[in-house]
Amino acid sequence: MKKIAILGGASCSGCDVALFDLPGDELERFFSEVEVVFWSTTMDSRIEDFEAQGKIDLVMFHGGIRTEEHRKLLIQAREKAEILVALGSCASFGGIPGIANLFELDAILKDIYGDEFTKLSGERIPKPEERLKPISSYVEVDYYLPGCPPPVETISEFLDHFILGSLPPRGIFGKESTVCDECDRIKPEDISIEEVKRIGSKDWSEIDPKVCFLAQGVVCLGAVTRGGCKARCINANFPCRGCMGPAPNIRDQGARILSEIASLLMKESEKNLSDEEIYERVQKEIVDPVGLFYRYTLPHYWGGSNEEDD
Amino acid sequence: MKKMIKIDPVTRLEGEAKISIFMDESGKTVEDVLFQVTEFRAFEKFCIGRDVMEMPRITSAICGFCSWAHHLASVKAVDNLLGKNVPEPAEKLRELGYCAHILHSHLAHMYLLALPDFLQLKEKNVFHLMKENPSLVRDILEKRRYSYFIQEMVGGKAIHPVFAIPGGVSKSISEKERVKIEEMSRELVDFSKKSIEVFMEATLKFRENDPYYHETHYMSLVKNGKLNFYSGKIRVVNTEGKKIHEFSPEEYSDYIGEVVKDWSYTKFPYLREMGWKGLTWGKESGIFRVGPLARMNVCERMETEGAQWEYERFIEEMGKPCHNTMAFHWARAIEILYASEKMLELSREEDIVDSKEIFDPDGELRGRGVGALEAPRGTLYHDYEVDEEGRVTFVNLIVPTTENNPSICISVKKGAEELLSNGKRIDRNILNKIEVAFRAYDPCLACSTHNLDQSIRVEIFHGSELVKTL
Amino acid sequence: MVEKSWRPRIVAFLCRWCGYAGADLAGVSRMKYPEIYPIRVNCSGSVHPELILDAFRKGADGVLICGCHTPNDCHYISGNYKALKRVALVKKLLSQLGINQERVRLEWISAAEGRKFSRVVKEFYEKIRELGPLEVRV
């Protein structure tokens, strides 16, 4: 019987929950063909049980690496795993908790818990790492299942291939397409954005659910984001925020969409405006570039610098 | 030499934590127990600088078990901050999706995490149960999947939904979807009724000898005295069941204080009126509990018929207020019935189909906004402040597991004292019984440590020397 | 303290029609300016933000972009506007990432402005010297 283990780092456990959203008969079939050797969310397995294991056929790791314990666990996982999977966007790219990398660790601890705590942390509770990192920063990863959480269909397909022994070559397990490819909205050829519409702002009521968000001045990351999610958010009339990570052939998801949005802004009116006006308006239109363009991927692209925040 | 026992990680819950039990030199008496939350992610810090309009989509990632609770508490905070008047159909859609979420979360806890504790199983986990009783598990998974579908239809995504936007919702539902939801809700009502019997029985076994019993105050949202997950006022009743506070979400900080301990990444909240008196319980202590049991103790009645009947039966058997920690399980089962019935009721509303009135465009940025609701595990508060461009400058989150944290520590301690005193042999079975104590609360540690990310484990120390890890 | 011998590494993206031609003129006119790493590009509008970030990731201390004057000098009609808008947004992003915005500079330099080119490079070089070396963790 094949052995599997599910472990987590800095995670919300949404990936755990997503596993249980698979159809009941599929779950039943899957779990009758594998032996779960460690999954603390669902069974009484201690760290020692995991440590005592020899080779494990499949280890799925969700969450990024935030503490020393996560790092040690991950390294053990790699040693034991025949196949190591980064389950979800946190393990793959750092995920939303990765935005914390904008701040120094000391500042975070001091702000939330006060000075005393900062001195003691790490003695009785796991020592936080300076920065949150995706698991590929420490170990070689065999497959990535991006998404927040990964779409149920993708998980199901992956597990099927695993059982049948028909997994494709290593790398990202997903669609070679963009979210735009899966979105049915009408996409005009020529787009110019005079003003960015923020979610729930005054102009939001003008949004036409049949027309491309970008064309209506709403920032949407569909063009730079990997497909496979069936454009679920967009179909719920909410723009893509990039949870599936960079689309194929996109080197830097955040920089690319930043570039697109910048190009579209004031495209029609720019020649009538002074350079200063354009500069100021562009900066004003995007309230929070990092939080919007790198929401799920900051640690993947950026490790920090030696300069202080402005 | 003193002994220390460590459970690492604590299992079948959401997130990472460990329990450290300190014994005296004889090894017979429990001196102290630490339920340590070891998770750390820092949401309160890194939300600073974000666009407040994006917060509902960011903060849902605090927790994958109760993403809807954070998504909606967040959107309510932003509604409040902008002074938006959310149209009635939008409110209904939010509540409808949220009822499905209560089921999604409660059913996962009840059946996948907690149930194995109440059954005679060789291994206490759902996979073992799957082998012993496949049809039961299949039925559970199938019914739980209904809540997954409903969440997806209403919220866009089942986990980490997107549809709630400041001022309303991004979409309504189609007639086809409405019909499906109605059908599923009807089946879920029946399924919930059956579930209550299972968990009532499990609870009643502990009625006379609940090792984790302790008297505390209770807090919950109520709407006209009735249980409501989505909106209402916050009410606090004391150990005797007497109403001592009722307030609006914005006023929470007048009533709740928080302390930090150097051995956990979770804070310890208490009622200001009584003050922080350490990990003690009773009328004089400031410790209060939230969640299903608290809701039974706080509300006066249930809005729906079936749930009301079950609620009366609960009170008759357990009394009011009920301080039996194990009664959380029964209370949780009653709540899934309420959620199913409410969902059925809402699914029959006409104005949620292809509705045009789902968004209020007006509203001006005001400095601060607070949103509160009943998350599956208890009262959840999101409190934001922003600058004039709508960038977040301050975030405070009070989450249910944090509110229950002092009580969880007490319950674990009581359980450990009862089970480990008099030099009983320490094995995994005993330790599992200690874990039963916190599992009643269905703790959600990712939530409680939106700040730092952590894991639960058992080590036995002799003096300061580690002798055994379990 | 920054070592005296430290010299800023500046990557300069120069548009072939204006910026590069301006630099060329500065060269043939024997105007002196500090050492930079010039990269000839077709248009300032082809300098994607990825390239700017990459330059920093790979050890640049400053990035200079030179394009054609607005409104109408751009050989590709509006490439210079693209550059302007992208730089505006990249600067905001950089400051969030904890990088001083002044490490990026955008200038319009025509083929006739050799003198301006040499002045801009001198100024920028001094500015970066003042800011000191940049270390980016990847």
Side-chain angles (χ1 to χ4, degrees):
Chain A
M1 218 177 209
K2 285 183 174 177
K3 286 182 175 178
I4 72 159
I6 296 165
L7 308 169
S11 163
C12 74
S13 289
C15 297
D16 271 338
V17 183
L19 280 163
F20 276 108
D21 287 339
L22 263 63
D25 53 338
E26 256 179 58
L27 282 174
E28 206 187 311
R29 207 171 53 235
F30 178 72
F31 288 116
S32 67
E33 289 187 45
V34 298
E35 185 197 346
V36 184
V37 294
F38 187 90
W39 188 1
S40 63
T41 308
T42 56
M43 55 196 280
D44 300 327
S45 29
R46 313 292 177 206
I47 291 293
E48 301 72 48
D49 299 324
F50 180 68
E51 282 167 355
Q53 286 291 331
K55 278 281 172 198
I56 302 173
D57 298 281
L58 174 67
V59 177
M60 309 234 252
F61 198 101
H62 56 89
I65 304 303
R66 177 79 257 187
T67 66
E68 204 176 10
E69 285 194 1
H70 295 153
R71 185 162 48 83
K72 288 181 183 157
L73 188 64
L74 173 69
I75 287 166
Q76 278 195 55
R78 179 65 279 184
E79 282 164 7
K80 295 177 190 300
E82 290 292 340
I83 299 171
L84 177 69
V85 174
L87 182 65
S89 292
C90 292
S92 302
F93 318 114
I96 289 183
I99 306 174
N101 286 3
L102 291 177
F103 303 91
E104 295 298 323
L105 179 63
D106 274 354
I108 296 173
L109 291 173
K110 209 177 266 179
D111 256 32
I112 302 175
Y113 301 100
D115 291 333
E116 266 319 286
F117 187 87
T118 312
K119 271 186 249 151
L120 287 157
S121 79
E123 284 177 31
R124 294 211 259 182
I125 31 187
K127 195 170 176 287
E129 300 273 322
E130 277 302 310
R131 290 183 191 267
L132 186 146
K133 289 183 182 172
I135 66 172
S136 58
S137 297
Y138 297 102
V139 297
E140 205 175 304
V141 176
D142 298 313
Y143 293 97
Y144 297 85
L145 263 66
C148 183
V152 165
E153 304 82 27
T154 313
I155 299 176
S156 157
E157 207 181 311
F158 181 84
L159 295 180
D160 273 356
H161 279 296
F162 167 72
I163 292 290
L164 296 170
S166 60
L167 283 167
R170 281 147 207 246
I172 294 173
F173 185 87
K175 294 266 182 300
E176 291 301 300
S177 61
T178 65
V179 175
C180 269
D181 296 335
E182 299 180 349
C183 163
D184 320 315
R185 291 181 180 232
I186 299 161
K187 300 177 186 76
E189 281 298 307
D190 198 26
I191 297 175
S192 170
I193 301 174
E194 277 310 302
E195 247 175 51
V196 169
K197 291 192 182 80
R198 283 157 84 181
I199 307 289
S201 63
K202 265 202 173 56
D203 316 316
W204 186 265
S205 44
E206 297 158 18
I207 297 295
D208 181 344
K210 293 195 182 65
V211 178
C212 169
F213 273 117
L214 275 183
Q216 304 184 72
V218 177
V219 175
C220 177
L221 272 69
V224 295
T225 302
R226 183 178 292 270
C229 59
K230 297 184 181 161
R232 276 180 169 83
C233 299
I234 295 171
N235 291 334
N237 199 23
F238 193 98
C240 174
R241 287 293 174 256
C243 83
M244 296 288 286
N249 304 320
I250 298 242
R251 223 154 29 93
D252 185 329
Q253 186 188 17
R256 181 61 72 88
I257 190 67
L258 177 144
S259 175
E260 305 261 329
I261 300 291
S263 312
L264 299 178
L265 277 166
M266 282 150 260
K267 205 169 98 188
E268 268 167 18
S269 59
E270 63 195 10
K271 297 235 167 182
N272 307 321
L273 300 168
S274 73
D275 289 1
E276 290 71 26
E277 260 177 290
I278 294 174
Y279 184 88
E280 264 174 42
R281 270 184 57 189
V282 168
Q283 286 212 337
K284 202 173 140 271
E285 288 301 318
I286 302 295
V287 176
D288 169 27
V290 168
L292 194 53
F293 302 140
Y294 288 98
R295 185 168 301 173
Y296 296 89
T297 58
L298 187 63
H300 181 61
Y301 293 116
W302 204 256
S305 76
N306 60 331
E307 291 197 314
E308 290 295 309
D309 294 358
D310 280 11
Chain B
M1 280 273 258
K2 289 186 179 183
K3 262 173 113 187
M4 178 178 160
I5 303 167
K6 209 166 164 188
I7 308 182
D8 179 15
V10 179
T11 56
R12 283 188 278 139
L13 49 58
E14 197 297 302
E16 305 166 54
K18 54 182 137 194
I19 294 173
S20 302
I21 302 163
F22 298 89
M23 313 282 288
D24 74 346
E25 277 149 42
S26 69
K28 287 181 182 165
T29 316
V30 175
E31 283 197 334
D32 202 4
V33 175
L34 305 181
F35 174 80
Q36 298 175 281
V37 182
T38 52
E39 198 159 307
F40 163 72
R41 285 181 303 155
F43 271 83
E44 276 166 338
K45 179 74 183 172
F46 73 70
C47 282
I48 291 172
R50 308 286 72 79
D51 178 354
V52 75
M53 308 305 260
E54 299 280 340
M55 285 294 274
R57 187 75 166 84
I58 294 174
T59 54
S60 86
I62 290 171
C63 176
F65 265 73
C66 58
S67 56
W68 279 70
H70 287 285
H71 182 59
L72 292 177
S74 178
V75 87
K76 287 179 78 172
V78 186
D79 287 342
N80 180 251
L81 194 144
L82 289 155
K84 296 250 191 199
N85 290 311
V86 179
E88 197 59 29
E91 291 279 31
K92 284 179 191 162
L93 283 159
R94 286 181 184 181
E95 192 172 356
L96 173 67
Y98 194 48
C99 285
H101 177 69
I102 295 286
L103 281 151
H104 194 248
S105 172
H106 273 9
L107 288 176
H109 176 77
M110 290 162 63
Y111 284 110
L112 305 177
L113 312 187
L115 182 67
D117 282 337
F118 303 122
L119 303 174
Q120 296 299 323
L121 289 174
K122 206 169 94 248
E123 287 168 42
K124 295 198 179 298
N125 64 60
V126 68
F127 309 113
H128 200 80
L129 183 61
M130 222 176 241
K131 286 186 188 106
E132 299 220 329
N133 196 342
S135 64
L136 170 73
V137 176
R138 203 178 307 133
D139 192 35
I140 293 164
L141 291 172
E142 199 184 304
K143 293 300 181 311
R144 185 171 170 278
R145 207 150 191 264
Y146 287 176
S147 61
Y148 161 82
F149 284 126
I150 300 172
Q151 286 181 101
E152 192 167 284
M153 278 187 263
V154 177
K157 276 201 309 183
I159 300 170
H160 304 317
V162 300
F163 80 125
I165 58 171
V169 292
S170 63
K171 65 175 274 276
S172 59
I173 54 172
S174 68
E175 175 60 19
K176 213 171 119 197
E177 288 170 326
R178 191 202 64 74
V179 170
K180 258 194 224 154
I181 294 172
E182 193 181 345
E183 275 167 22
M184 287 177 179
S185 302
R186 210 177 292 122
E187 278 192 55
L188 283 166
V189 168
D190 293 338
F191 180 73
S192 300
K193 284 182 180 158
K194 273 195 283 179
S195 299
I196 292 175
E197 301 303 319
V198 176
F199 288 89
M200 175 182 75
E201 205 183 306
T203 298
L204 285 173
K205 276 192 201 140
F206 289 92
R207 184 169 48 177
E208 313 307 333
N209 58 341
D210 185 334
Y212 324 107
Y213 177 98
H214 68 277
E215 294 175 9
T216 59
H217 314 297
Y218 297 94
M219 177 189 289
S220 161
L221 221 65
V222 286
K223 199 171 177 180
N224 308 321
K226 286 177 281 195
L227 171 72
N228 195 293
F229 289 112
Y230 176 68
S231 62
K233 286 220 164 205
I234 288 132
R235 185 183 286 185
V236 181
V237 301
N238 68 6
T239 49
E240 288 156 5
K242 209 174 116 225
K243 178 164 101 178
I244 52 170
H245 301 309
E246 188 155 303
F247 54 90
S248 307
E250 303 88 278
E251 301 169 288
Y252 79 91
S253 52
D254 296 342
Y255 297 90
I256 307 170
E258 281 186 298
V259 288
V260 172
K261 295 278 164 197
D262 63 28
W263 44 267
S264 177
Y265 280 131
T266 293
K267 294 175 185 178
F268 292 76
Y270 60 93
L271 293 173
R272 283 193 191 279
E273 191 181 310
M274 290 78 180
W276 174 254
K277 302 204 170 90
L279 292 174
T280 56
W281 61 93
K283 201 176 169 188
E284 307 306 320
S285 163
I287 290 180
F288 62 97
R289 290 194 274 185
V290 296
L293 180 63
R295 294 190 280 250
M296 295 298 131
N297 285 332
V298 173
C299 75
E300 291 156 28
R301 56 177 288 114
M302 294 282 152
E303 201 185 318
T304 58
E305 201 183 331
Q308 172 63 18
W309 190 84
E310 293 291 349
Y311 172 71
E312 282 167 21
R313 184 158 69 144
F314 176 87
I315 304 239
E316 206 169 292
E317 292 288 341
M318 304 303 293
K320 190 181 176 184
C322 162
H323 299 294
N324 294 55
T325 300
M326 292 307 281
F328 264 95
H329 293 286
W330 187 359
R332 196 171 288 120
I334 296 171
E335 291 187 342
I336 63 167
L337 178 59
Y338 164 70
S340 309
E341 289 183 320
K342 182 78 190 169
M343 202 155 71
L344 183 62
E345 199 180 293
L346 286 163
S347 71
R348 288 170 176 157
E349 298 280 343
E350 280 167 16
D351 56 356
I352 58 170
V353 175
D354 299 325
S355 176
K356 295 278 169 275
E357 273 166 60
I358 50 171
F359 175 65
D360 172 23
D362 296 328
E364 291 296 326
L365 281 171
R366 302 186 288 197
R368 176 174 178 234
V370 181
L373 47 65
E374 282 298 311
R377 292 151 189 82
T379 321
L380 168 67
Y381 301 85
H382 277 222
D383 179 2
Y384 310 148
E385 284 174 24
V386 296
D387 63 16
E388 65 283 354
E389 283 172 76
R391 249 191 309 260
V392 175
T393 55
F394 167 85
V395 176
N396 191 32
L397 309 168
I398 298 192
V399 304
T401 300
T402 309
E403 290 163 309
N404 279 335
N405 186 32
S407 289
I408 295 176
C409 290
I410 290 168
S411 292
V412 168
K413 188 174 179 194
K414 293 203 69 168
E417 277 169 355
E418 180 105 6
L419 296 159
L420 295 180
S421 293
N422 310 318
K424 273 186 203 144
R425 205 173 65 83
I426 298 158
D427 59 17
R428 284 199 165 201
N429 195 17
I430 293 279
L431 293 173
N432 183 265
K433 284 187 178 148
I434 296 172
E435 287 184 279
V436 169
F438 71 76
R439 219 168 274 135
Y441 296 89
D442 182 13
C444 183
L445 304 167
C447 277
S448 74
T449 60
H450 39 276
N451 300 312
L452 297 167
D453 218 73
Q454 312 146 18
S455 208
I456 300 185
R457 43 187 79 180
V458 183
E459 290 178 4
I460 302 183
F461 278 85
H462 213 92
S464 54
E465 176 201 354
L466 180 74
V467 286
K468 195 174 178 188
T469 306
L470 293 159
Chain C
M1 263 305 281
V2 178
E3 295 244 348
K4 270 230 162 80
S5 60
W6 176 75
R7 294 195 306 199
R9 276 183 295 191
I10 292 171
V11 173
F13 293 101
L14 310 174
C15 119
R16 64 179 287 193
W17 305 98
C18 299
Y20 195 85
D24 217 23
L25 180 62
V28 296
S29 315
R30 303 274 176 120
M31 289 170 197
K32 281 205 162 56
Y33 56 86
E35 181 190 50
I36 53 169
Y37 296 82
I39 297 173
R40 192 173 75 169
V41 292
N42 263 343
C43 175
S44 57
S46 61
V47 183
H48 279 270
E50 280 155 287
L51 296 174
I52 303 174
L53 296 179
D54 263 356
F56 287 127
R57 284 187 196 111
K58 291 181 178 163
D61 302 303
V63 173
L64 175 67
I65 301 157
C66 298
C68 311
H69 282 270
T70 50
N72 294 321
D73 282 9
C74 178
H75 190 79
Y76 305 97
I77 301 166
S78 60
N80 49 359
Y81 281 101
K82 278 202 173 111
L84 172 63
K85 293 183 290 184
R86 285 172 182 163
V87 166
L89 220 40
V90 163
K91 281 187 173 223
K92 189 162 179 175
L93 177 81
L94 288 176
S95 85
Q96 283 188 299
L97 293 173
I99 292 178
N100 197 307
Q101 297 191 33
E102 294 191 66
R103 289 186 185 273
V104 177
R105 182 161 173 178
L106 173 70
E107 282 292 339
W108 307 141
I109 287 168
S110 78
E113 291 176 319
R115 194 168 300 277
K116 182 176 177 189
F117 179 80
S118 118
R119 175 177 58 80
V120 164
V121 172
K122 270 184 217 151
E123 278 174 18
F124 191 50
Y125 191 87
E126 279 317 309
K127 183 78 224 173
I128 301 299
R129 262 199 78 81
E130 212 176 279
L131 293 174
L134 174 69
E135 287 162 36
V136 168
R137 290 186 285 266
V138 184

